[in-house]
Amino acid sequence: MTIALFLIFLAACMAAGSTGALFAPGEWYRNLRKPSWTPPGWMFSVMWTSLYLLMSWAATRVALSDGGQIALALWALQIALNTLWTPVFFGLHRMRAGLAIIALLWATVVATSIAFFQVDALAGAMMLPYIAWVSVAAGLNLSILRLNPEQAVGR
């Protein structure tokens, strides 16, 4: 049962992650001005793979615990928002809409983490790297928007 639950949560994460292949950053993103602290490109796939494994294991722990219904509903909301950001930012080039989505994502990940901590402390702790990475991604989204105002007109 534990492996099956983990694989279900991992499948949801992989669906979210697949948007990166469907809506790759491409030339549009490469030509944008970015802050000096932008992580190298290879780091994104390493981080997301690690985070998706942690998020799946954390959700599995909560699913196997009593009282995790709200926590898992929040997990479902955050993975939906996670899935939405890539097509909006990279696919539609909507930096402002992407910023709004990632702000909601960040708040939902924090709420999920708090809810996970209330059910299973280790599961909550496993979500902390995700909060950190989404914070970096949100800062990057905002910085790119500010550095490329001409790209954000009407978007």
PDB file of all heavy atoms in Angstrom, residues 85-114:
ATOM      1  N   TRP A  85       1.945  26.861 -13.529  1.00  0.00           N
ATOM      2  CA  TRP A  85       2.910  27.950 -13.699  1.00  0.00           C
ATOM      3  C   TRP A  85       3.713  27.832 -14.996  1.00  0.00           C
ATOM      4  O   TRP A  85       3.858  28.805 -15.735  1.00  0.00           O
ATOM      5  CB  TRP A  85       3.869  28.027 -12.502  1.00  0.00           C
ATOM      6  CG  TRP A  85       4.811  29.184 -12.629  1.00  0.00           C
ATOM      7  CD1 TRP A  85       4.577  30.478 -12.256  1.00  0.00           C
ATOM      8  CD2 TRP A  85       6.113  29.172 -13.219  1.00  0.00           C
ATOM      9  NE1 TRP A  85       5.665  31.260 -12.578  1.00  0.00           N
ATOM     10  CE2 TRP A  85       6.615  30.481 -13.164  1.00  0.00           C
ATOM     11  CE3 TRP A  85       6.892  28.179 -13.790  1.00  0.00           C
ATOM     12  CZ2 TRP A  85       7.875  30.823 -13.651  1.00  0.00           C
ATOM     13  CZ3 TRP A  85       8.150  28.513 -14.281  1.00  0.00           C
ATOM     14  CH2 TRP A  85       8.625  29.828 -14.203  1.00  0.00           C
ATOM     15  N   THR A  86       4.254  26.680 -15.296  1.00  0.00           N
ATOM     16  CA  THR A  86       5.139  26.524 -16.458  1.00  0.00           C
ATOM     17  C   THR A  86       4.466  26.899 -17.779  1.00  0.00           C
ATOM     18  O   THR A  86       5.037  27.674 -18.557  1.00  0.00           O
ATOM     19  CB  THR A  86       5.723  25.101 -16.509  1.00  0.00           C
ATOM     20  OG1 THR A  86       6.490  24.894 -15.317  1.00  0.00           O
ATOM     21  CG2 THR A  86       6.608  24.894 -17.726  1.00  0.00           C
ATOM     22  N   PRO A  87       3.256  26.391 -18.074  1.00  0.00           N
ATOM     23  CA  PRO A  87       2.633  26.792 -19.342  1.00  0.00           C
ATOM     24  C   PRO A  87       2.300  28.282 -19.398  1.00  0.00           C
ATOM     25  O   PRO A  87       2.369  28.889 -20.466  1.00  0.00           O
ATOM     26  CB  PRO A  87       1.366  25.947 -19.433  1.00  0.00           C
ATOM     27  CG  PRO A  87       1.351  25.045 -18.281  1.00  0.00           C
ATOM     28  CD  PRO A  87       2.522  25.340 -17.404  1.00  0.00           C
ATOM     29  N   VAL A  88       1.980  28.860 -18.261  1.00  0.00           N
ATOM     30  CA  VAL A  88       1.653  30.292 -18.254  1.00  0.00           C
ATOM     31  C   VAL A  88       2.919  31.120 -18.480  1.00  0.00           C
ATOM     32  O   VAL A  88       2.936  32.027 -19.321  1.00  0.00           O
ATOM     33  CB  VAL A  88       0.942  30.693 -16.941  1.00  0.00           C
ATOM     34  CG1 VAL A  88       0.842  32.205 -16.802  1.00  0.00           C
ATOM     35  CG2 VAL A  88      -0.442  30.051 -16.889  1.00  0.00           C
ATOM     36  N   PHE A  89       3.986  30.819 -17.746  1.00  0.00           N
ATOM     37  CA  PHE A  89       5.207  31.617 -17.863  1.00  0.00           C
ATOM     38  C   PHE A  89       5.965  31.304 -19.152  1.00  0.00           C
ATOM     39  O   PHE A  89       6.236  32.200 -19.954  1.00  0.00           O
ATOM     40  CB  PHE A  89       6.114  31.379 -16.650  1.00  0.00           C
ATOM     41  CG  PHE A  89       7.302  32.300 -16.600  1.00  0.00           C
ATOM     42  CD1 PHE A  89       7.215  33.541 -15.991  1.00  0.00           C
ATOM     43  CD2 PHE A  89       8.517  31.929 -17.165  1.00  0.00           C
ATOM     44  CE1 PHE A  89       8.309  34.400 -15.952  1.00  0.00           C
ATOM     45  CE2 PHE A  89       9.616  32.769 -17.131  1.00  0.00           C
ATOM     46  CZ  PHE A  89       9.507  34.010 -16.523  1.00  0.00           C
ATOM     47  N   PHE A  90       6.300  30.049 -19.368  1.00  0.00           N
ATOM     48  CA  PHE A  90       7.119  29.683 -20.530  1.00  0.00           C
ATOM     49  C   PHE A  90       6.303  29.510 -21.804  1.00  0.00           C
ATOM     50  O   PHE A  90       6.784  29.809 -22.888  1.00  0.00           O
ATOM     51  CB  PHE A  90       7.905  28.396 -20.257  1.00  0.00           C
ATOM     52  CG  PHE A  90       8.998  28.563 -19.253  1.00  0.00           C
ATOM     53  CD1 PHE A  90       9.024  27.791 -18.105  1.00  0.00           C
ATOM     54  CD2 PHE A  90      10.016  29.480 -19.448  1.00  0.00           C
ATOM     55  CE1 PHE A  90      10.043  27.938 -17.173  1.00  0.00           C
ATOM     56  CE2 PHE A  90      11.037  29.644 -18.525  1.00  0.00           C
ATOM     57  CZ  PHE A  90      11.046  28.866 -17.376  1.00  0.00           C
ATOM     58  N   GLY A  91       5.091  29.005 -21.688  1.00  0.00           N
ATOM     59  CA  GLY A  91       4.269  28.770 -22.874  1.00  0.00           C
ATOM     60  C   GLY A  91       3.614  30.041 -23.394  1.00  0.00           C
ATOM     61  O   GLY A  91       3.714  30.363 -24.578  1.00  0.00           O
ATOM     62  N   LEU A  92       2.950  30.750 -22.509  1.00  0.00           N
ATOM     63  CA  LEU A  92       2.226  31.967 -22.912  1.00  0.00           C
ATOM     64  C   LEU A  92       3.068  33.236 -22.761  1.00  0.00           C
ATOM     65  O   LEU A  92       2.639  34.295 -23.197  1.00  0.00           O
ATOM     66  CB  LEU A  92       0.941  32.103 -22.087  1.00  0.00           C
ATOM     67  CG  LEU A  92      -0.089  30.987 -22.257  1.00  0.00           C
ATOM     68  CD1 LEU A  92      -1.234  31.173 -21.272  1.00  0.00           C
ATOM     69  CD2 LEU A  92      -0.602  30.952 -23.689  1.00  0.00           C
ATOM     70  N   HIS A  93       4.208  33.133 -22.085  1.00  0.00           N
ATOM     71  CA  HIS A  93       5.100  34.276 -21.826  1.00  0.00           C
ATOM     72  C   HIS A  93       4.384  35.332 -20.989  1.00  0.00           C
ATOM     73  O   HIS A  93       4.646  36.530 -21.143  1.00  0.00           O
ATOM     74  CB  HIS A  93       5.635  34.893 -23.124  1.00  0.00           C
ATOM     75  CG  HIS A  93       6.310  33.904 -24.000  1.00  0.00           C
ATOM     76  ND1 HIS A  93       6.623  34.184 -25.304  1.00  0.00           N
ATOM     77  CD2 HIS A  93       6.747  32.633 -23.795  1.00  0.00           C
ATOM     78  CE1 HIS A  93       7.205  33.136 -25.855  1.00  0.00           C
ATOM     79  NE2 HIS A  93       7.289  32.177 -24.949  1.00  0.00           N
ATOM     80  N   ARG A  94       3.545  34.904 -20.083  1.00  0.00           N
ATOM     81  CA  ARG A  94       2.771  35.802 -19.218  1.00  0.00           C
ATOM     82  C   ARG A  94       3.479  35.909 -17.866  1.00  0.00           C
ATOM     83  O   ARG A  94       3.172  35.195 -16.928  1.00  0.00           O
ATOM     84  CB  ARG A  94       1.343  35.292 -19.035  1.00  0.00           C
ATOM     85  CG  ARG A  94       0.584  35.080 -20.312  1.00  0.00           C
ATOM     86  CD  ARG A  94       0.136  36.372 -20.889  1.00  0.00           C
ATOM     87  NE  ARG A  94      -0.689  36.133 -22.066  1.00  0.00           N
ATOM     88  CZ  ARG A  94      -1.369  37.055 -22.666  1.00  0.00           C
ATOM     89  NH1 ARG A  94      -1.353  38.289 -22.209  1.00  0.00           N
ATOM     90  NH2 ARG A  94      -2.073  36.772 -23.738  1.00  0.00           N
ATOM     91  N   MET A  95       4.438  36.815 -17.795  1.00  0.00           N
ATOM     92  CA  MET A  95       5.246  36.941 -16.591  1.00  0.00           C
ATOM     93  C   MET A  95       4.433  37.415 -15.388  1.00  0.00           C
ATOM     94  O   MET A  95       4.640  36.933 -14.279  1.00  0.00           O
ATOM     95  CB  MET A  95       6.427  37.877 -16.849  1.00  0.00           C
ATOM     96  CG  MET A  95       7.442  37.292 -17.802  1.00  0.00           C
ATOM     97  SD  MET A  95       8.922  38.298 -17.942  1.00  0.00           S
ATOM     98  CE  MET A  95       8.421  39.448 -19.218  1.00  0.00           C
ATOM     99  N   ARG A  96       3.532  38.358 -15.596  1.00  0.00           N
ATOM    100  CA  ARG A  96       2.702  38.844 -14.481  1.00  0.00           C
ATOM    101  C   ARG A  96       1.753  37.760 -13.982  1.00  0.00           C
ATOM    102  O   ARG A  96       1.601  37.571 -12.774  1.00  0.00           O
ATOM    103  CB  ARG A  96       1.913  40.079 -14.903  1.00  0.00           C
ATOM    104  CG  ARG A  96       2.745  41.326 -14.960  1.00  0.00           C
ATOM    105  CD  ARG A  96       1.874  42.578 -15.118  1.00  0.00           C
ATOM    106  NE  ARG A  96       2.726  43.732 -15.165  1.00  0.00           N
ATOM    107  CZ  ARG A  96       2.992  44.430 -16.270  1.00  0.00           C
ATOM    108  NH1 ARG A  96       2.437  44.093 -17.420  1.00  0.00           N
ATOM    109  NH2 ARG A  96       3.798  45.461 -16.237  1.00  0.00           N
ATOM    110  N   ALA A  97       1.113  37.066 -14.898  1.00  0.00           N
ATOM    111  CA  ALA A  97       0.225  35.969 -14.500  1.00  0.00           C
ATOM    112  C   ALA A  97       1.034  34.874 -13.813  1.00  0.00           C
ATOM    113  O   ALA A  97       0.590  34.292 -12.815  1.00  0.00           O
ATOM    114  CB  ALA A  97      -0.518  35.415 -15.707  1.00  0.00           C
ATOM    115  N   GLY A  98       2.234  34.603 -14.321  1.00  0.00           N
ATOM    116  CA  GLY A  98       3.111  33.629 -13.683  1.00  0.00           C
ATOM    117  C   GLY A  98       3.450  34.030 -12.259  1.00  0.00           C
ATOM    118  O   GLY A  98       3.462  33.202 -11.347  1.00  0.00           O
ATOM    119  N   LEU A  99       3.701  35.323 -12.058  1.00  0.00           N
ATOM    120  CA  LEU A  99       4.013  35.827 -10.721  1.00  0.00           C
ATOM    121  C   LEU A  99       2.820  35.637  -9.784  1.00  0.00           C
ATOM    122  O   LEU A  99       2.995  35.236  -8.628  1.00  0.00           O
ATOM    123  CB  LEU A  99       4.429  37.295 -10.785  1.00  0.00           C
ATOM    124  CG  LEU A  99       4.910  37.917  -9.481  1.00  0.00           C
ATOM    125  CD1 LEU A  99       6.129  37.169  -8.936  1.00  0.00           C
ATOM    126  CD2 LEU A  99       5.235  39.391  -9.698  1.00  0.00           C
ATOM    127  N   ALA A 100       1.618  35.900 -10.263  1.00  0.00           N
ATOM    128  CA  ALA A 100       0.425  35.700  -9.442  1.00  0.00           C
ATOM    129  C   ALA A 100       0.272  34.219  -9.081  1.00  0.00           C
ATOM    130  O   ALA A 100      -0.025  33.881  -7.920  1.00  0.00           O
ATOM    131  CB  ALA A 100      -0.816  36.207 -10.176  1.00  0.00           C
ATOM    132  N   ILE A 101       0.486  33.355 -10.057  1.00  0.00           N
ATOM    133  CA  ILE A 101       0.361  31.908  -9.804  1.00  0.00           C
ATOM    134  C   ILE A 101       1.416  31.444  -8.810  1.00  0.00           C
ATOM    135  O   ILE A 101       1.115  30.698  -7.872  1.00  0.00           O
ATOM    136  CB  ILE A 101       0.459  31.111 -11.117  1.00  0.00           C
ATOM    137  CG1 ILE A 101      -0.764  31.390 -11.984  1.00  0.00           C
ATOM    138  CG2 ILE A 101       0.619  29.611 -10.852  1.00  0.00           C
ATOM    139  CD1 ILE A 101      -0.616  30.955 -13.430  1.00  0.00           C
ATOM    140  N   ILE A 102       2.645  31.902  -8.983  1.00  0.00           N
ATOM    141  CA  ILE A 102       3.700  31.422  -8.087  1.00  0.00           C
ATOM    142  C   ILE A 102       3.530  31.996  -6.679  1.00  0.00           C
ATOM    143  O   ILE A 102       3.910  31.352  -5.702  1.00  0.00           O
ATOM    144  CB  ILE A 102       5.111  31.660  -8.673  1.00  0.00           C
ATOM    145  CG1 ILE A 102       6.085  30.627  -8.108  1.00  0.00           C
ATOM    146  CG2 ILE A 102       5.596  33.074  -8.447  1.00  0.00           C
ATOM    147  CD1 ILE A 102       7.372  30.486  -8.858  1.00  0.00           C
ATOM    148  N   ALA A 103       2.935  33.172  -6.559  1.00  0.00           N
ATOM    149  CA  ALA A 103       2.632  33.704  -5.225  1.00  0.00           C
ATOM    150  C   ALA A 103       1.581  32.827  -4.533  1.00  0.00           C
ATOM    151  O   ALA A 103       1.715  32.496  -3.346  1.00  0.00           O
ATOM    152  CB  ALA A 103       2.144  35.148  -5.328  1.00  0.00           C
ATOM    153  N   LEU A 104       0.554  32.435  -5.280  1.00  0.00           N
ATOM    154  CA  LEU A 104      -0.447  31.514  -4.732  1.00  0.00           C
ATOM    155  C   LEU A 104       0.178  30.154  -4.423  1.00  0.00           C
ATOM    156  O   LEU A 104      -0.140  29.536  -3.400  1.00  0.00           O
ATOM    157  CB  LEU A 104      -1.608  31.343  -5.709  1.00  0.00           C
ATOM    158  CG  LEU A 104      -2.553  32.527  -5.856  1.00  0.00           C
ATOM    159  CD1 LEU A 104      -3.518  32.281  -7.025  1.00  0.00           C
ATOM    160  CD2 LEU A 104      -3.308  32.767  -4.565  1.00  0.00           C
ATOM    161  N   LEU A 105       1.047  29.701  -5.308  1.00  0.00           N
ATOM    162  CA  LEU A 105       1.740  28.430  -5.079  1.00  0.00           C
ATOM    163  C   LEU A 105       2.536  28.498  -3.791  1.00  0.00           C
ATOM    164  O   LEU A 105       2.465  27.595  -2.952  1.00  0.00           O
ATOM    165  CB  LEU A 105       2.654  28.097  -6.265  1.00  0.00           C
ATOM    166  CG  LEU A 105       3.568  26.882  -6.089  1.00  0.00           C
ATOM    167  CD1 LEU A 105       2.770  25.610  -5.845  1.00  0.00           C
ATOM    168  CD2 LEU A 105       4.477  26.736  -7.305  1.00  0.00           C
ATOM    169  N   TRP A 106       3.302  29.564  -3.599  1.00  0.00           N
ATOM    170  CA  TRP A 106       4.124  29.705  -2.398  1.00  0.00           C
ATOM    171  C   TRP A 106       3.250  29.657  -1.144  1.00  0.00           C
ATOM    172  O   TRP A 106       3.549  28.919  -0.191  1.00  0.00           O
ATOM    173  CB  TRP A 106       4.924  31.010  -2.456  1.00  0.00           C
ATOM    174  CG  TRP A 106       5.867  31.160  -1.300  1.00  0.00           C
ATOM    175  CD1 TRP A 106       7.164  30.737  -1.249  1.00  0.00           C
ATOM    176  CD2 TRP A 106       5.584  31.765  -0.041  1.00  0.00           C
ATOM    177  NE1 TRP A 106       7.702  31.035  -0.018  1.00  0.00           N
ATOM    178  CE2 TRP A 106       6.758  31.666   0.733  1.00  0.00           C
ATOM    179  CE3 TRP A 106       4.465  32.379   0.505  1.00  0.00           C
ATOM    180  CZ2 TRP A 106       6.839  32.164   2.045  1.00  0.00           C
ATOM    181  CZ3 TRP A 106       4.532  32.865   1.808  1.00  0.00           C
ATOM    182  CH2 TRP A 106       5.708  32.760   2.560  1.00  0.00           C
ATOM    183  N   ALA A 107       2.161  30.415  -1.153  1.00  0.00           N
ATOM    184  CA  ALA A 107       1.267  30.434   0.011  1.00  0.00           C
ATOM    185  C   ALA A 107       0.668  29.048   0.262  1.00  0.00           C
ATOM    186  O   ALA A 107       0.536  28.614   1.418  1.00  0.00           O
ATOM    187  CB  ALA A 107       0.172  31.469  -0.188  1.00  0.00           C
ATOM    188  N   THR A 108       0.323  28.363  -0.801  1.00  0.00           N
ATOM    189  CA  THR A 108      -0.276  27.034  -0.664  1.00  0.00           C
ATOM    190  C   THR A 108       0.756  26.012  -0.181  1.00  0.00           C
ATOM    191  O   THR A 108       0.434  25.135   0.619  1.00  0.00           O
ATOM    192  CB  THR A 108      -0.902  26.588  -2.003  1.00  0.00           C
ATOM    193  OG1 THR A 108      -1.819  27.597  -2.432  1.00  0.00           O
ATOM    194  CG2 THR A 108      -1.654  25.284  -1.851  1.00  0.00           C
ATOM    195  N   VAL A 109       1.981  26.126  -0.646  1.00  0.00           N
ATOM    196  CA  VAL A 109       3.038  25.219  -0.175  1.00  0.00           C
ATOM    197  C   VAL A 109       3.303  25.451   1.313  1.00  0.00           C
ATOM    198  O   VAL A 109       3.477  24.490   2.084  1.00  0.00           O
ATOM    199  CB  VAL A 109       4.329  25.355  -1.007  1.00  0.00           C
ATOM    200  CG1 VAL A 109       5.470  24.553  -0.405  1.00  0.00           C
ATOM    201  CG2 VAL A 109       4.083  24.923  -2.446  1.00  0.00           C
ATOM    202  N   VAL A 110       3.321  26.698   1.732  1.00  0.00           N
ATOM    203  CA  VAL A 110       3.499  26.992   3.158  1.00  0.00           C
ATOM    204  C   VAL A 110       2.340  26.404   3.962  1.00  0.00           C
ATOM    205  O   VAL A 110       2.549  25.747   4.992  1.00  0.00           O
ATOM    206  CB  VAL A 110       3.641  28.514   3.401  1.00  0.00           C
ATOM    207  CG1 VAL A 110       3.546  28.847   4.891  1.00  0.00           C
ATOM    208  CG2 VAL A 110       4.960  29.027   2.819  1.00  0.00           C
ATOM    209  N   ALA A 111       1.108  26.619   3.487  1.00  0.00           N
ATOM    210  CA  ALA A 111      -0.062  26.063   4.181  1.00  0.00           C
ATOM    211  C   ALA A 111      -0.006  24.537   4.216  1.00  0.00           C
ATOM    212  O   ALA A 111      -0.312  23.916   5.247  1.00  0.00           O
ATOM    213  CB  ALA A 111      -1.347  26.539   3.507  1.00  0.00           C
ATOM    214  N   THR A 112       0.398  23.924   3.113  1.00  0.00           N
ATOM    215  CA  THR A 112       0.537  22.469   3.060  1.00  0.00           C
ATOM    216  C   THR A 112       1.573  21.999   4.075  1.00  0.00           C
ATOM    217  O   THR A 112       1.348  21.016   4.797  1.00  0.00           O
ATOM    218  CB  THR A 112       0.939  22.007   1.640  1.00  0.00           C
ATOM    219  OG1 THR A 112      -0.028  22.471   0.712  1.00  0.00           O
ATOM    220  CG2 THR A 112       1.068  20.494   1.551  1.00  0.00           C
ATOM    221  N   SER A 113       2.688  22.690   4.126  1.00  0.00           N
ATOM    222  CA  SER A 113       3.755  22.310   5.055  1.00  0.00           C
ATOM    223  C   SER A 113       3.280  22.390   6.500  1.00  0.00           C
ATOM    224  O   SER A 113       3.542  21.476   7.299  1.00  0.00           O
ATOM    225  CB  SER A 113       4.979  23.207   4.860  1.00  0.00           C
ATOM    226  OG  SER A 113       5.443  23.105   3.544  1.00  0.00           O
ATOM    227  N   ILE A 114       2.587  23.461   6.835  1.00  0.00           N
ATOM    228  CA  ILE A 114       2.053  23.610   8.197  1.00  0.00           C
ATOM    229  C   ILE A 114       1.077  22.482   8.500  1.00  0.00           C
ATOM    230  O   ILE A 114       1.141  21.856   9.573  1.00  0.00           O
ATOM    231  CB  ILE A 114       1.382  24.992   8.369  1.00  0.00           C
ATOM    232  CG1 ILE A 114       2.444  26.096   8.332  1.00  0.00           C
ATOM    233  CG2 ILE A 114       0.575  25.055   9.667  1.00  0.00           C
ATOM    234  CD1 ILE A 114       1.881  27.504   8.181  1.00  0.00           C
TER     235      ILE A 114
END
